[in-house]
């Protein structure tokens, strides 16, 4: 993957600075639950930042905060030069042209009662595009994601999981956005389909220059698609850097555990990796025990 050095002094498209996200809890005087603490990330035009961590680490919450779906308690989110930390509903509607999302489940994210043509035309008509222009754009989108033109008259249930995710990607691309938040977009797919969809994301980025905030629990997936990687643990970013470095030679113990937990096809390498993971966990337990007060 090409290093982000190729972007030079290009200003960031998205900057998240000192971000905290808290959710109130029921009960008198109960402290709110803090989901994110002091998050700092940046994404340049045409760049992919992979956000990786186990379930509950806060990575999806960060994506939701960027989309305006999670409350910003502290810090700022700047998109394309504007502070969108507390954007109004009307401002978010206008942002929809440049900021889109692809969700994890390609079936539940599509209206099962609408034909594909209507699903893809919807964001265009909401933005006031004439019907003829919307139909032309829908044909372009289907071609861009490798679906047949007759898909416009079919329902989501008539397609496989990978094809439905292509429809979801096409819908996100409809308004030619600058950034797409991809929330575990391949985790519901089998391995061979994952590879096809990931390559589609890469080709679209090469063709359009779109940026991705790519959320995943899979270190191998983010290595394949990302320029840079940020690793989340308990609501904090514990490591961040070039994808090749973070996913192959991680510095933080948590990232090392993620790497050693990733499966490999070779049984001997898998056994070696499992032993290394057990050894790392044992060493960390000794370090933690030594740090406890006597």
């Amino acid at each position: 993957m090409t290093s982000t050095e190729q972007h030079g002094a290009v200003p960031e498209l998205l900057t998240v600075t000192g971000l905290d996200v808290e959710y109130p809890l029921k009960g008198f005087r109960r402290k709110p639950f803090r989901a994110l603490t002091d998050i700092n990330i940046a994404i340049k035009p045409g760049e992919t930042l992979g956000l990786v961590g186990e379930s509950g680490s806060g990575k999806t919450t960060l994506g939701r905060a960027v989309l305006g779906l999670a409350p910003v308690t502290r810090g700022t989110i700047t998109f394309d030069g504007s502070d969108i930390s507390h954007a109004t509903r009307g401002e978010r509607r206008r942002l929809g042209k440049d900021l889109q999302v692809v969700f994890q489940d390609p079936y539940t994210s599509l209206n099962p009662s609408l034909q594909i043509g209507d699903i893809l035309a919807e964001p265009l008509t909401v933005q006031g595009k004439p019907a003829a222009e919307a139909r032309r754009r829908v044909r372009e989108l289907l071609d861009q994601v490798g679906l047949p033109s007759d898909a416009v008259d079919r329902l989501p249930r008539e397609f496989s999981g990978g094809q439905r995710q292509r429809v979801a990607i096409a819908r996100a691309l409809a308004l030619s956005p600058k950034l797409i938040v991809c929330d575990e977009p391949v985790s519901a797919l089998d391995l061979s389909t994952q590879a096809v969809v990931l390559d589609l994301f890469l080709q679209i980025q090469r063709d359009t220059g779109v940026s991705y905030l790519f959320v995943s629990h899979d270190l191998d997936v983010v290595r394949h698609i990302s320029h840079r990687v940020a690793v989340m643990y308990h609501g904090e970013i514990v490591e961040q850097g070039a994808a090749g470095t973070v996913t192959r030679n991680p510095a933080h113990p948590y990232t090392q555990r993620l790497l050693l937990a990733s499966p490999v096809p070779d049984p001997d390498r898998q056994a070696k990796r499992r032993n290394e993971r057990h050894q790392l966990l044992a060493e960390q337990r000794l370090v933690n025990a030594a740090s406890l007060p006597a």
Side-chain angles (χ1 to χ4, degrees), residues 160-175:
S160 67
Q163 290 172 322
R164 288 195 293 263
Q165 196 61 293
R166 287 171 182 259
V167 174
I169 295 168
R171 182 179 58 183
L173 290 169
L175 298 172

Side-chain angles (χ1 to χ4, degrees), residues 24-268:
L25 297 176
K26 292 182 179 179
F28 183 62
R29 291 185 177 177
R30 289 189 67 185
K31 290 185 177 181
F33 168 70
R34 177 167 290 186
L36 298 179
T37 302
D38 194 26
I39 300 297
N40 297 277
I41 61 169
I43 304 176
K44 292 180 181 292
E47 182 181 52
T48 299
L49 175 67
L51 196 61
V52 66
E54 61 192 350
S55 296
S57 62
K59 56 190 187 298
T60 292
T61 301
L62 176 52
R64 288 174 59 84
V66 171
L67 294 166
L69 302 175
V72 174
T73 306
R74 187 182 70 86
T76 58
I77 301 173
T78 304
F79 177 70
D80 203 19
S82 299
D83 186 346
I84 63 169
S85 310
H86 304 282
T88 65
R89 185 173 297 182
E91 289 169 338
R92 282 286 171 184
R93 192 177 298 113
R94 289 189 290 273
L95 275 171
K97 182 179 183 302
D98 294 322
L99 181 58
Q100 283 289 320
V101 59
V102 175
F103 292 108
Q104 175 179 355
D105 189 337
Y107 189 70
T108 57
S109 66
L110 302 175
N111 188 329
S113 64
L114 289 181
Q115 293 180 335
I116 300 303
D118 295 328
I119 290 172
L120 298 183
E122 185 177 26
L124 297 163
T125 54
V126 167
Q127 293 289 332
K129 302 291 184 184
E133 183 178 341
R135 286 195 297 270
R136 183 170 61 251
R137 178 61 176 153
V138 166
R139 289 194 295 269
E140 292 174 354
L141 290 167
L142 290 173
D143 182 64
Q144 191 170 14
V145 299
L147 289 174
S149 58
D150 65 359
V152 294
D153 300 319
R154 297 161 66 185
L155 295 170
R157 65 170 178 266
E158 300 178 54
F159 294 90
S160 67
Q163 290 172 322
R164 288 195 293 263
Q165 196 61 293
R166 287 171 182 259
V167 174
I169 295 168
R171 182 179 58 183
L173 290 169
L175 298 172
S176 302
K178 296 178 181 179
L179 173 69
I180 300 178
V181 176
C182 306
D183 187 8
E184 298 272 13
V186 298
S187 63
L189 307 176
D190 62 70
L191 289 178
S192 60
T193 308
Q194 277 189 16
V196 172
V197 173
L198 287 173
D199 287 342
L200 175 61
F201 274 113
L202 290 171
Q203 186 60 52
I204 288 170
Q205 187 173 62
R206 286 191 290 267
D207 293 342
T208 67
V210 68
S211 300
Y212 299 131
L213 175 60
F214 199 95
V215 176
S216 177
H217 66 276
D218 191 323
L219 212 58
D220 290 329
V221 167
V222 297
R223 179 192 299 124
H224 181 75
I225 199 169
S226 305
H227 296 89
R228 291 185 303 109
V229 171
V231 182
M232 294 200 68
Y233 180 62
H234 286 181
E236 300 182 33
I237 291 180
V238 297
E239 185 166 3
Q240 188 169 182
T245 301
V246 173
T247 61
R248 289 189 173 89
N249 299 292
H252 195 276
Y254 174 69
T255 318
Q256 293 169 4
R257 293 204 305 271
L258 282 181
L259 177 62
L260 294 176
S262 299
V264 291
D266 184 274
D268 293 333

Side-chain angles (χ1 to χ4, degrees), residues 9-36:
V10 176
E12 283 80 9
L13 175 64
L14 176 76
T15 306
V16 177
T17 307
L19 178 69
D20 291 353
V21 169
E22 293 180 348
Y23 293 100
L25 297 176
K26 292 182 179 179
F28 183 62
R29 291 185 177 177
R30 289 189 67 185
K31 290 185 177 181
F33 168 70
R34 177 167 290 186
L36 298 179

